[in-house]
Amino acid sequence: MEWITLTIDGRTVTVPKGTTVLEACRMNEIPIPTLCHDPELSSYGSCRLCIVEIEGMRNLPPSCVTQATQGMVVRTQTTKVRDSRKTILELLVANHPLDCMTCQKMGDCDLAKYAYEYRVTGELFKGGERRHLPLDDSNPFILRDANKCILCGKCVRACEEVQGRSVLDFSFRGFHAQVGPAFNLPYSESECVFCGSCVSVCPVGALTEKKMVGQGRPWEVEKVQTTCPFCGTGCNFDLNVKDGKVIGVTSNPEAPVNGKALCVKGRFGMDLIHNSERLTTPLIKKDGEFVEATWDEAMDLVAQKLGEVKQEHGADAISVLSSARCTNEENFLMQKLARAVIGTNNIDHCART
Amino acid sequence: MTFGSGAMTNSINEIPDSKVLFIIGSNPTEAHPIIGTKMKQAVARGAKVVAVDPRRTEMADVADVWLRLRPGTDIALINGIMNIILANGWEDKKFIAERTEGFDQLRAQVAKFPPEVVSKITGVPVDQLIEAARIYATAESAQIFYTLGITEHIYGTDNVMILADLSMLTGNVGKENSGVNPLRGQNNVQGACDMGALPDVLPGYQKVTSPTARAKFEAAWDVPIKSESGLMLPDMIEAAFDHEVRAMYIMGEDPVLTDADANHVREALETLDFLVVQNIFLSETAKLADVVLPAGSFAEKDGTFTNTERRVQRVNKAIEPIGQARADWQIICDLATRMGYPFAYASPADVMQEIASLTPQYAGITFERLGRKGLQWPVPDAEHPGTKFLHEGKFARGKGLFMAIEYQVPDEPPDEEYPLLLSTGRRLSHYNISTRYSEALDSYAPEELAELNPEDAERLGIKDGERVKVASRRGALETKVRITDRVLPGMLWMSFHYKESPANVLTNAASDKVTKTYEYKVCGVKVSKVI
Amino acid sequence: MKTLLDPCCDRCTHTPETPCRDYVRCLTEGPICHDDPACKAEKQRLLKEIKPNEENQQIFVCTGTGCASCGAHNIVDSLNEEINHQGLANTVNVVPTGCHGFCEQGPTLIIEPRQILYTLVKPDDVAEIVQKEFVEGERVERLLYVDPLTNQPATTFANANFFAKQTRVVLNNCGFINPEKIEDYIARDGYKGLTNALQKMTPVEVIDEVKKSGLRGRGGAGFPTGLKWSFCRQAIGDKKYIICNADEGDPGAFMDRGVLEGDPHAVIEGMLIGAYAIGADEGYVYCRAEYPLAIKHLEIAIRQAEEVGLLGDNILNSGFNFHLFIRAGAGAFVCGEETALIASIEGKRGMPKVRPPFPAQSGLWGKPTNNNNVETWANVPHILRNGADRYAQFGTEKSKGTKIFALTGKVNNTGLAEVPMGMTLRDIIFDIGGGIQNGKKFKAVQIGGPSGGCLPDEMLDLQVDYDTLTKAGAMVGSGGLVIMDETTCMVDIARFFLNFSQSESCGKCTPCREGTKRMWEILDRITKGEGKEEDLDNLEHLAVVVKETSLCGLGQNAPNPVLSALKYFRPEFEAHIRDKNCPAHVCSALMTYSIDPDKCKKCGLCAKSCPSGCISGDKKTPYQIDVAACIKCGTCADVCKFGAVIRA
């Protein structure tokens, strides 16, 4: 690998050739604000927050799309740079609802994070026009508030580049530019399949998981990485847990198979965990009706009945059906139960569906 | 079988860099959506796609060639493609000579399938067959993907073997972006097989008939192990029917809804002396049980799943079990103990230690090593980094064996009485039957919409969105229909997610001779409007 | 009837399938492959039919978009009718042409070889023109152009200042050939530049010649064309494209339309030469759909070039292949930006992409692509026909050649004018443009469109070239010159251009999308008398941020009209803010309206038209405006026929 050396804020750093200035900064823990950048997506260079000063270059180049070159001299924190970033943030805030207190994204909003860091006041362009677009509440999964959209284009790219669907794109021009499905139809009337990749990349509260609204703030939520229980792809994601309850699913960018991508089932189907029809107690059928039982009653009965059948008809009169939905450990134990405890090879599962 | 092991030969993340995708009997954008997205990424990067499916799937739409074959004619089609490859000299002679055996038999068999004959059988035009053969055979690398459209036939095993033949004929196996990849259906069907939840093999596909294998487990478990294979699921059902099996213990499955000829399954289970069902919901099967044990969901326990690319990944406990429910592994341990053989595992990690000690593919796996990224088996020892793709340089069985495969017809093709061909599959918004319990998903896709071709709809006087009665020799149901040219004329397609329209009361329980997989993909039905 | 394009005899074997390398030269100097006086004579005769001379007089009627909209086609028809009627069809030919450039005076026609220019011609004038010119051998004096500066009628078109001060290189054919006939173009040495390139030069030599000519991009940025070509030539790729940017979008600019309508083959020949030099075999002309005539002429030209084998495979038996296609743009200004233009050709939303990678590395469909605008391509044939040295004799040291400007606004001679680089603004506006309309005072010239700047009268002696203008805060841009007089408010103009840039912003990058909006709001406030003292500093600060941080040229240059106006006309802004006064009497909110009782004829039209009903009066008492209720819309002043409404 070829390496190059450049100077960032007076520090000499060495990075592989082909690295962008932004990546070079981040590798060296030099903070650069970004709203439209995502390592899983193509470089877009639209939010312009990552601008820096580079000797010999005119204007303020965006670091996310500028290749680091040998001997380059970069400054990331000059007054001019910080001042321009602040102005850009003021521009975004001037066209963004300030209902942060009730916004689902509070505490996890990149715009709020940078606005705070750069001491944005919201005063500079106060009184100017703002968008007033209708809320898209048309479907059970995704809540879309176009008024909060900062047009970073991440959702557009996630839909096109990761999902290969291109449901979302920009429409209209200038101040009236907006992002949405064709003809700005509600999601439910578009070709959207509700994978939620757009939600997973949205840096603000424009796209949120509908079922999680009001369920918990980021700092109250524990995230537990796990593997999806549906198809055989093996996607990983984070279960969001608050007060012992799973309130939803968020992408885990470290997921080895799927990255941030998920499908509608994995992202939005986990409310089945707390479905009111869940079995919560052992049941024993008496006179054709199920009666609630203790574990001891139920387990003793099972042990006794299986023992009787084994004694009367032999071990092979018992069959065990294990499950492709259960864990490896459980399947291992189940076949061990069949073979070592009951004494039969009558063990199978729905391997073929 | 042909190569000597049954798993996806390549990795999911190789897909975006594929040059050619040969997708047969598989609808990845709905059944394996994330794999589907990777395939679309490959297309965006210039990969060529050959799609083989009677139904117009999304991949068929983006394919360079879509072979819309008649359902159940896969063997003739692949034989025909191999015929074309040999006729044009597109085969990989070096690969055949060095790494395979049985080529002469294959050549003789394939000679019986000239393109014109195959075109007649399959309904696919000759020029499309040639184009598909050219794309697959002349690519720098090419991957085959198949799912249940291949296996859910009475000759499913033959279907799989002939795909292996095709890959070996062109040398498209045993390297990056080249291989034969079954996309396994359920989250841990790979793991359940790996773990020996099968009547003929112990964990790690060690045959129960093998004395050395048995000896190893007998030593570890300190009990004798039966040397004959046990019953497969369809045989269990028959044995229950015949009172040969008296008791069943069913964990986490709902055969009444998911197995073919559901009415027959229900009857068999009702015949049992004793039925225990362990599940998280009161499933259709659980309703028949004598004892129902409430299990914890995946969020309520630790453990591992193995995905279709052989990646063993952690499942981590996020919440305590609901109510008095308990994790499946704890229930099994309790039962074993009560039956006089204490299972004294402190945690699933403990169980994995025993798995690793007895299963060569899992030998190097510990929970700690799996971490956040998992490991792809085989992992033969504690230092091994896992295996991205199989059969590099050498097949599991040594040389790859060509199998000459004869064309066969489905067990129950449509006839005068049942003139439509029913095929079943999955939809994007549901997974088997469990996702119906997600309020969000269920409100989005609340009911079955069986797909019917406009030609048939017109003949039967059925309009889009109307309710119809569908009947087969085994049962009947009602469902709404969607009129669409996604299906061929003469064909009806349904999912099996909805207990209100349980497609498996219709399906045929005839099964593959080796794997006993039901022929879910073909049976005869008749459709009439509900008035 | 035989045309110049037909083979002279059986010995000619040229077809697109069996091309002859000498085809172009053969048509004008041939035959080359055999020596037959009869064939030669025939060719000369056909050539003579095309070029005007005493036996074959020609009337070139401008049928460009401007003149056509004033009825030029009726004039063509009337002329033909009258000429037939008079039995002159054998000696007089009517040729519909592209734009003469003299749009203010349209419809115009030129009679050759006598160089007579008639302006503001109506169908009713036709009989008189034919009678006098071709029967009596006299002039129709009243239709001659009278120069506003000298007040003298121009006896020939070359005598009119408008034409006399121009140097027409690119526009050489415009107005003097039928753009629907390839033989007209060939008769005037068309495709000889291509022939030179293919027969005598390697691609690298072609690029060197273009480099030597000093030609720079005429689309606005002024990047050296030869250098640009060499980047694309050096790029690695199995396929390369070239593009002609004909998405002319600046308000008041129509140079490219003039060239495409009047001389489409010049663009095609330029692209052929460029494609050969770069190694491209496919090209696109991206033309805005609002130019239907340009597209039509281009379509005809492409078809004709294909029919004679000047487009297609193995052109002139050189082994060089080139295919050319047209893509119509849907009218987005930002599609003039080359990465947005490429996206649009690919069928995507026209949004600019970050560079690098530059199109020369990864352009259309990811392949190396070279894009130049119409005027740049149309310069190329001249360079290859006559050599770089002759081309470079025009212009300044760093800006070679000529530039076409579109004169619009409050200037007498609205139209197209081509001048050598380095001419002063004063010469262009006052000599060629004929000065300011109605004897008003010059105030400013907006040059370079929404990306350019407003220059005041003290800058009139500035030489027009890339570097001088950029230094002055404007830019050559594509060549639009909007001339403003003393009745123009510079705050209002800045607001107008910002509104244009804001409406045409693609919305991709924050500063352009949001910043131009807030700049517009500040300016709007100022024009309404709601400006605050700190507004100008905020405006300037925001303008600099937008300029320095925007993604593409649209955003980076959108603040130019504001910054230049602030630089040269700051007191006018301050008057709006501090004195609540619009010195040019444009900003209606800052004006008070009253009615002069002496001038008021008591017709009541103002009261009837007043939307707020604040004007009272009757047949006996002069009308009066209730100032408190007046919304300052200005309708009363517009409708008053007697000038009785006073704005102040």
Side-chain angles (χ1 to χ4, degrees):
Chain A
M1 193 185 288
E2 213 177 316
W3 295 80
I4 52 164
T5 300
L6 66 158
T7 309
I8 306 176
D9 296 338
R11 275 172 64 187
T12 303
V13 302
T14 302
V15 296
K17 198 177 173 195
T19 305
T20 64
V21 174
L22 175 68
E23 287 162 346
C25 289
R26 292 199 166 161
M27 281 174 200
N28 290 282
E29 276 150 20
I30 296 165
I32 302 271
T34 56
L35 287 170
C36 70
H37 177 77
D38 188 305
E40 274 187 51
L41 305 173
S42 66
S43 292
Y44 203 54
S46 75
C47 75
R48 315 308 275 185
L49 263 197
C50 70
I51 46 165
V52 293
E53 268 184 70
I54 296 177
E55 277 185 15
M57 284 200 188
R58 71 187 180 102
N59 295 341
L60 299 171
S63 58
C64 69
V65 289
T66 305
Q67 296 282 313
T69 55
Q70 180 63 36
M72 188 179 252
V73 179
V74 181
R75 292 185 188 86
T76 71
Q77 299 293 333
T78 63
T79 311
K80 185 182 176 116
V81 165
R82 287 193 65 92
D83 192 56
S84 297
R85 285 181 193 155
K86 182 181 173 179
T87 303
I88 290 166
L89 286 163
E90 289 277 10
L91 286 170
L92 288 171
V93 168
N95 196 16
H96 189 92
L98 297 177
D99 61 349
C100 305
M101 196 185 281
T102 53
C103 179
Q104 176 63 17
K105 199 73 176 180
M106 183 192 192
D108 194 23
C109 172
D110 289 341
L111 180 61
K113 181 173 82 180
Y114 296 131
Y116 178 78
E117 184 188 334
Y118 281 81
R119 308 277 202 278
V120 167
T121 61
E123 292 294 313
L124 194 53
F125 305 111
K126 205 175 179 176
E129 189 184 336
R130 283 167 184 265
R131 285 166 300 191
H132 295 286
L133 298 166
L135 198 69
D136 179 359
D137 190 16
S138 62
N139 68 84
F141 311 112
I142 299 171
L143 203 58
R144 189 164 70 98
D145 184 351
N147 298 308
K148 290 183 181 169
C149 175
I150 55 168
L151 288 107
C152 67
K154 276 191 201 170
C155 55
V156 176
R157 281 173 283 152
C159 194
E160 180 189 339
E161 297 168 10
V162 177
Q163 290 291 330
R165 296 219 169 253
S166 302
V167 171
L168 298 172
D169 207 339
F170 293 85
S171 62
F172 300 104
R173 293 185 210 160
F175 185 75
H176 302 288
Q178 54 173 295
V179 168
F183 311 111
N184 286 302
L185 289 170
Y187 264 155
S188 59
E189 291 170 40
S190 74
E191 296 291 303
C192 176
V193 297
F194 299 102
C195 70
S197 283
C198 52
V199 180
S200 77
V201 295
C202 183
V204 293
L207 295 166
T208 48
E209 294 92 349
K210 197 169 174 181
K211 295 270 173 189
M212 284 169 78
V213 170
Q215 297 301 305
R217 289 299 191 188
W219 56 87
E220 302 169 327
V221 167
E222 186 201 354
K223 294 193 173 202
V224 181
Q225 183 179 345
T226 196
T227 305
C228 182
F230 295 133
C231 81
T233 306
C235 296
N236 272 31
F237 50 65
D238 286 342
L239 286 173
N240 285 221
V241 180
K242 187 193 162 197
D243 300 336
K245 198 172 172 228
V246 175
I247 61 166
V249 164
T250 51
S251 291
N252 184 323
E254 304 287 309
V257 174
N258 55 305
K260 284 208 278 282
L262 287 170
C263 77
V264 61
K265 301 181 284 280
R267 193 182 301 277
F268 297 115
M270 295 309 155
D271 55 341
L272 72 83
I273 295 168
H274 295 285
N275 184 290
S276 59
E277 291 179 39
R278 275 287 299 274
L279 291 167
T280 54
T281 176
L283 302 170
I284 295 173
K285 198 176 264 171
K286 288 180 182 158
D287 306 326
E289 292 292 318
F290 282 120
V291 178
E292 291 191 359
T294 66
W295 275 105
D296 275 339
E297 285 166 1
M299 294 305 284
D300 282 343
L301 180 62
V302 173
Q304 179 207 325
K305 286 282 186 183
L306 292 181
E308 283 170 16
V309 171
K310 183 175 172 181
Q311 203 147 33
E312 283 176 36
H313 303 284
D316 285 341
I318 300 172
S319 282
V320 174
L321 204 49
S322 193
S323 174
R325 313 304 297 277
C326 289
T327 64
N328 286 323
E329 293 72 17
E330 288 158 350
N331 276 287
F332 179 85
L333 292 177
M334 199 65 162
Q335 62 87 33
K336 185 172 173 184
L337 178 87
R339 292 187 165 115
V341 183
I342 299 171
T344 177
N345 278 323
N346 288 346
I347 164 102
D348 202 359
H349 69 284
C350 286
R352 303 138 203 116
T353 53
Chain B
M1 246 157 295
T2 311
F3 305 147
S5 74
M8 197 165 152
T9 57
N10 299 68
S11 292
I12 293 169
N13 281 312
E14 286 174 42
I15 296 173
D17 297 317
S18 301
K19 301 285 180 258
V20 166
L21 305 170
F22 189 99
I23 304 164
I24 179 163
S26 178
N27 183 11
T29 57
E30 293 206 58
H32 298 85
I34 296 305
I35 292 177
T37 67
K38 309 257 173 194
M39 290 182 175
K40 285 177 153 190
Q41 289 170 25
V43 172
R45 295 181 196 180
K48 298 255 183 219
V49 175
V50 177
V52 187
D53 209 306
R55 190 161 163 256
R56 185 160 53 75
T57 62
E58 214 177 320
M59 290 314 292
D61 274 339
V62 303
D64 295 87
V65 187
W66 170 31
L67 308 180
R68 191 173 202 178
L69 80 176
R70 295 196 184 104
T73 60
D74 308 79
I75 291 175
L77 183 103
I78 302 299
N79 270 324
I81 287 178
M82 290 195 285
N83 180 300
I84 294 165
I85 289 171
L86 288 170
N88 287 283
W90 289 332
E91 73 273 23
D92 187 336
K93 296 181 183 72
K94 185 161 176 274
F95 187 93
I96 294 167
E98 288 174 4
R99 295 199 46 192
T100 69
E101 54 198 29
F103 178 60
D104 290 338
Q105 291 94 300
L106 180 83
R107 179 194 283 281
Q109 173 69 9
V110 161
K112 293 191 259 171
F113 290 88
E116 297 71 24
V117 171
V118 172
S119 180
K120 269 207 189 101
I121 298 173
T122 60
V124 176
V126 169
D127 57 334
Q128 287 184 12
L129 293 170
I130 294 172
E131 182 61 4
R134 192 192 59 78
I135 289 175
Y136 179 77
T138 63
E140 165 191 339
S141 63
Q143 305 205 69
I144 296 173
F145 294 89
Y146 68 87
T147 313
L148 306 175
I150 280 299
T151 52
E152 288 179 357
H153 287 284
I154 49 167
Y155 37 83
T157 308
D158 286 344
N159 276 344
V160 172
M161 288 195 293
I162 201 168
L163 292 176
D165 285 345
L166 176 62
S167 75
M168 292 193 297
L169 185 67
T170 51
N172 278 321
V173 64
K175 54 185 184 183
E176 193 143 347
N177 292 320
S178 272
V180 183
N181 297 292
L183 302 179
R184 303 301 302 260
Q186 307 183 67
N187 57 323
N188 199 33
V189 63
Q190 185 69 52
C193 293
D194 297 348
M195 290 304 104
L198 294 168
D200 58 334
V201 290
L202 290 151
Y205 305 97
Q206 302 172 78
K207 298 268 182 203
V208 292
T209 51
S210 151
T212 37
R214 278 201 313 279
K216 177 165 137 190
F217 283 86
E218 283 168 348
W221 293 344
D222 199 22
V223 286
I225 289 172
K226 282 227 172 98
S227 58
E228 318 83 54
S229 293
L231 298 174
M232 289 197 196
L233 173 55
D235 299 334
M236 288 179 188
I237 301 295
E238 290 314 313
F241 210 74
D242 300 340
H243 296 283
E244 280 161 29
V245 163
R246 299 279 181 152
M248 273 187 88
Y249 176 20
I250 300 177
M251 169 175 80
E253 305 240 338
D254 191 4
V256 170
L257 264 191
T258 59
D259 283 27
D261 197 357
N263 292 338
H264 183 67
V265 173
R266 181 186 294 271
E267 228 174 297
L269 294 180
E270 278 167 352
T271 311
L272 289 169
D273 293 348
F274 186 65
L275 174 63
V276 190
V277 174
Q278 181 170 316
N279 208 323
I280 65 173
F281 292 108
L282 192 65
S283 65
E284 294 301 298
T285 305
K287 287 175 186 165
L288 307 177
D290 296 290
V291 177
V292 177
L293 303 174
S297 75
F298 83 110
E300 293 147 45
K301 61 192 178 188
D302 289 315
T304 58
F305 291 154
T306 303
N307 77 349
T308 187
E309 57 163 3
R310 302 166 275 105
R311 186 184 298 273
V312 185
Q313 302 189 99
R314 294 272 294 269
V315 174
N316 292 310
K317 182 172 169 179
I319 56 170
E320 289 303 322
I322 308 286
Q324 293 181 49
R326 286 192 198 169
D328 291 288
W329 69 272
Q330 285 174 312
I331 303 172
I332 302 165
C333 289
D334 188 358
L335 180 62
T337 307
R338 283 176 206 255
M339 288 182 78
Y341 187 121
F343 277 9
Y345 303 97
S347 68
D350 260 12
V351 181
M352 181 53 85
Q353 228 169 13
E354 183 172 324
I355 294 171
S357 71
L358 292 168
T359 314
Q361 295 89 332
Y362 283 63
I365 292 179
T366 63
F367 271 34
E368 205 180 359
R369 278 198 74 198
L370 292 178
R372 287 174 171 276
K373 298 278 185 190
L375 286 167
Q376 280 174 283
W377 67 250
V379 190
D381 59 59
E383 270 75 48
H384 193 279
T387 306
K388 198 174 158 196
F389 52 93
L390 300 178
H391 312 307
E392 187 175 14
K394 186 166 160 278
F395 291 112
R397 74 175 288 280
K399 284 205 168 185
L401 177 61
F402 279 115
M403 308 287 275
I405 307 290
E406 201 51 74
Y407 172 57
Q408 302 142 71
V409 290
D411 182 68
E412 187 191 278
D415 56 19
E416 269 180 27
E417 199 185 349
Y418 296 95
L420 290 177
L421 185 152
L422 173 74
S423 195
T424 63
R426 292 187 174 110
R427 291 184 193 292
L428 173 61
S429 38
H430 281 299
Y431 195 79
N432 289 10
I433 47 179
S434 53
T435 50
R436 291 293 307 287
Y437 291 103
S438 160
E439 214 181 283
L441 294 174
D442 199 44
S443 67
Y444 176 57
E447 59 186 349
E448 178 63 36
L449 282 170
E451 295 178 359
L452 186 66
N453 187 278
E455 267 182 40
D456 298 313
E458 201 185 323
R459 191 167 39 76
L460 296 164
I462 295 164
K463 293 197 188 67
D464 197 56
E466 285 186 336
R467 290 191 71 79
V468 297
K469 182 179 168 191
V470 186
S472 76
R473 288 181 173 81
R474 291 156 294 279
L477 53 76
E478 284 189 14
T479 175
K480 264 194 191 176
V481 282
R482 172 189 290 165
I483 313 296
T484 170
D485 66 353
R486 278 172 60 119
V487 291
L488 282 166
M491 185 176 167
L492 181 78
W493 186 90
M494 286 183 75
S495 77
F496 55 93
H497 306 309
Y498 298 92
K499 61 183 173 200
E500 298 83 353
S501 312
N504 283 321
V505 305
L506 304 170
T507 48
N508 184 3
S511 62
D512 181 78
K513 58 190 179 289
V514 180
T515 64
K516 299 282 169 160
T517 305
Y518 297 122
E519 189 156 72
Y520 288 107
K521 296 299 182 193
V522 177
C523 76
V525 293
K526 58 183 174 188
V527 171
S528 57
K529 193 164 150 178
V530 175
I531 306 156
Chain C
M1 212 169 76
K2 207 165 187 178
T3 76
L4 188 65
L5 300 175
D6 294 319
C8 57
C9 64
D10 290 346
R11 280 167 289 193
C12 178
T13 55
H14 175 83
T15 67
E17 291 74 37
T18 57
C20 169
R21 64 193 296 273
D22 292 318
Y23 175 68
V24 173
R25 208 154 56 84
C26 175
L27 293 187
T28 53
E29 303 159 28
I32 309 279
C33 65
H34 58 280
D35 193 11
D36 184 330
C39 290
K40 183 147 186 119
E42 176 77 353
K43 280 197 184 286
Q44 289 309 309
R45 184 184 69 77
L46 291 166
L47 208 54
K48 226 172 168 181
E49 267 181 18
I50 295 171
K51 288 189 161 181
N53 52 71
E54 282 309 330
E55 295 100 73
N56 176 30
Q57 303 174 69
Q58 297 195 344
I59 310 173
F60 295 116
V61 185
C62 172
T63 53
T65 293
C67 288
S69 65
C70 299
H73 288 290
N74 291 339
I75 293 167
V76 173
D77 294 344
S78 305
L79 279 168
N80 277 323
E81 221 171 276
E82 190 62 25
I83 284 163
N84 282 330
H85 180 70
Q86 299 267 15
L88 296 165
N90 283 334
T91 53
V92 183
N93 235 329
V94 181
V95 182
T97 71
C99 186
H100 292 145
F102 212 10
C103 307
E104 184 73 34
Q105 300 290 328
T108 57
L109 56 84
I110 288 172
I111 297 169
E112 288 279 27
R114 295 197 291 283
Q115 297 197 343
I116 308 300
L117 168 72
Y118 286 129
T119 58
L120 296 168
V121 179
K122 295 182 192 57
D124 291 349
D125 302 325
V126 164
E128 190 182 350
I129 292 173
V130 173
Q131 178 67 23
K132 288 232 164 144
E133 280 287 342
F134 304 111
V135 180
E136 299 169 14
E138 290 188 13
R139 300 289 91 81
V140 183
E141 296 286 340
R142 63 182 178 88
L143 294 176
L144 292 176
Y145 170 65
V146 178
D147 202 305
L149 296 181
T150 59
N151 238 349
Q152 294 295 311
T155 50
T156 66
F157 79 84
N159 268 347
N161 257 328
F162 180 79
F163 289 105
K165 299 281 170 114
Q166 292 192 42
T167 303
R168 290 168 78 100
V169 174
V170 173
L171 295 179
N172 188 37
N173 286 338
C174 273
F176 297 92
I177 62 170
N178 183 341
E180 297 187 20
K181 288 188 170 172
I182 191 172
E183 57 267 42
D184 282 24
Y185 180 70
I186 291 173
R188 286 174 69 111
D189 293 333
Y191 290 108
K192 287 206 172 137
L194 173 69
T195 308
N196 285 343
L198 293 183
Q199 288 188 357
K200 300 180 189 157
M201 300 165 85
T202 65
V204 173
E205 284 167 351
V206 173
I207 290 178
D208 287 344
E209 194 71 12
V210 174
K211 278 185 183 166
K212 209 168 112 191
S213 77
L215 176 63
R216 293 168 67 173
R218 297 295 192 242
F223 194 83
T225 304
L227 190 61
K228 191 171 184 174
W229 288 11
S230 67
F231 292 151
C232 193
R233 167 149 198 94
Q234 285 154 14
I236 294 158
D238 52 350
K239 171 109 187 162
K240 292 178 186 179
Y241 295 99
I242 61 168
I243 294 174
C244 172
N245 181 350
D247 192 52
E248 190 170 49
D250 287 4
F254 48 98
M255 301 73 57
D256 294 346
R257 187 187 78 197
V259 174
L260 285 174
E261 286 178 1
D263 197 12
H265 285 285
V267 179
I268 295 174
E269 187 183 355
M271 291 184 81
L272 275 160
I273 293 165
Y276 171 69
I278 287 160
D281 65 355
E282 198 170 324
Y284 289 85
V285 180
Y286 185 85
C287 185
R288 57 187 304 183
E290 297 94 323
Y291 283 180
L293 188 61
I295 291 175
K296 181 185 160 201
H297 284 178
L298 201 53
E299 277 170 350
I300 292 169
I302 289 173
R303 199 184 62 229
Q304 289 175 342
E306 284 168 352
E307 279 166 6
V308 301
L310 286 166
L311 274 174
D313 292 336
N314 193 19
I315 294 166
L316 299 182
N317 202 22
S318 63
F320 164 61
N321 309 328
F322 185 64
H323 297 265
L324 186 57
F325 305 95
I326 301 172
R327 286 284 178 276
F333 178 69
V334 74
C335 287
E337 200 280 343
E338 62 182 359
T339 58
L341 184 154
I342 286 169
S344 182
I345 292 180
E346 289 173 349
K348 299 176 186 151
R349 177 179 161 98
M351 281 173 114
K353 273 196 257 182
V354 284
R355 296 177 296 186
F358 288 92
Q361 267 77 46
S362 173
L364 191 58
W365 291 301
K367 306 292 182 191
T369 302
N370 181 79
N371 167 49
N372 288 112
N373 87 326
V374 171
E375 191 181 340
T376 314
W377 287 120
N379 269 285
V380 173
H382 300 270
I383 297 168
L384 272 290
R385 188 188 311 143
N386 305 320
D389 292 337
R390 207 161 124 202
Y391 181 87
Q393 71 188 7
F394 302 112
T396 64
E397 193 197 336
K398 287 190 173 159
S399 301
K400 295 292 183 199
T402 58
K403 175 79 193 89
I404 310 173
F405 289 98
L407 296 169
T408 55
K410 305 287 176 66
V411 69
N412 272 315
N413 295 336
T414 299
L416 287 183
E418 183 174 356
V419 301
M421 287 280 190
M423 186 179 261
T424 65
L425 282 168
R426 190 182 298 283
D427 288 347
I428 298 173
I429 296 167
F430 287 90
D431 281 359
I432 295 172
I436 309 301
Q437 287 175 0
N438 303 322
K440 293 239 165 78
K441 201 167 155 261
F442 171 88
K443 182 169 185 178
V445 54
Q446 217 286 343
I447 180 162
S451 307
C454 294
L455 301 178
D457 56 357
E458 56 263 37
M459 312 292 279
L460 274 176
D461 292 311
L462 224 54
Q463 287 194 347
V464 176
D465 63 58
Y466 292 107
D467 312 290
T468 312
L469 283 186
T470 305
K471 221 180 283 168
M475 65 193 290
V476 173
S478 55
L481 289 180
V482 184
I483 288 111
M484 300 164 202
D485 67 13
E486 56 198 326
T487 64
T488 312
C489 169
M490 297 317 290
V491 185
D492 186 52
I493 284 294
R495 188 181 67 144
F496 167 83
F497 277 109
L498 218 40
N499 186 46
F500 181 89
S501 297
Q502 158 61 212
S503 312
E504 293 294 341
S505 163
C506 75
K508 182 170 176 175
C509 74
T510 315
C512 178
R513 179 184 72 243
E514 308 284 340
T516 55
K517 173 73 175 178
R518 302 307 167 201
M519 285 166 71
W520 180 88
E521 283 180 345
I522 294 172
L523 288 164
D524 188 54
R525 211 155 60 211
I526 294 174
T527 63
K528 286 182 173 149
E530 293 159 13
K532 290 172 282 192
E533 199 61 39
E534 65 270 25
D535 274 350
L536 292 187
D537 285 345
N538 283 345
L539 182 62
E540 213 159 9
H541 169 79
L542 182 54
V544 171
V545 171
V546 172
K547 198 172 168 54
E548 290 186 335
T549 65
S550 284
L551 193 156
C552 80
L554 194 158
Q556 286 167 12
N557 293 313
N560 286 351
V562 177
L563 287 169
S564 64
L566 275 172
K567 184 171 171 189
Y568 297 117
F569 301 93
R570 199 174 180 104
E572 202 169 332
F573 285 78
E574 287 165 351
H576 282 73
I577 294 171
R578 289 177 196 160
D579 312 332
K580 309 295 174 202
N581 173 34
C582 173
H585 301 308
V586 170
C587 299
S588 56
L590 295 185
M591 280 180 281
T592 53
Y593 290 83
S594 56
I595 294 171
D596 183 343
D598 297 338
K599 288 189 182 167
C600 177
K601 301 282 190 245
K602 308 180 189 82
C603 69
L605 193 57
C606 56
K608 261 184 230 152
S609 313
C610 178
S612 60
C614 69
I615 305 179
S616 57
D618 55 39
K619 286 197 170 130
K620 288 172 193 149
T621 35
Y623 282 77
Q624 273 190 321
I625 296 174
D626 176 359
V627 177
C630 174
I631 57 165
K632 300 175 177 180
C633 67
T635 307
C636 51
D638 294 340
V639 299
C640 180
K641 291 172 182 153
F642 313 105
V645 179
I646 306 161
R647 297 180 210 247

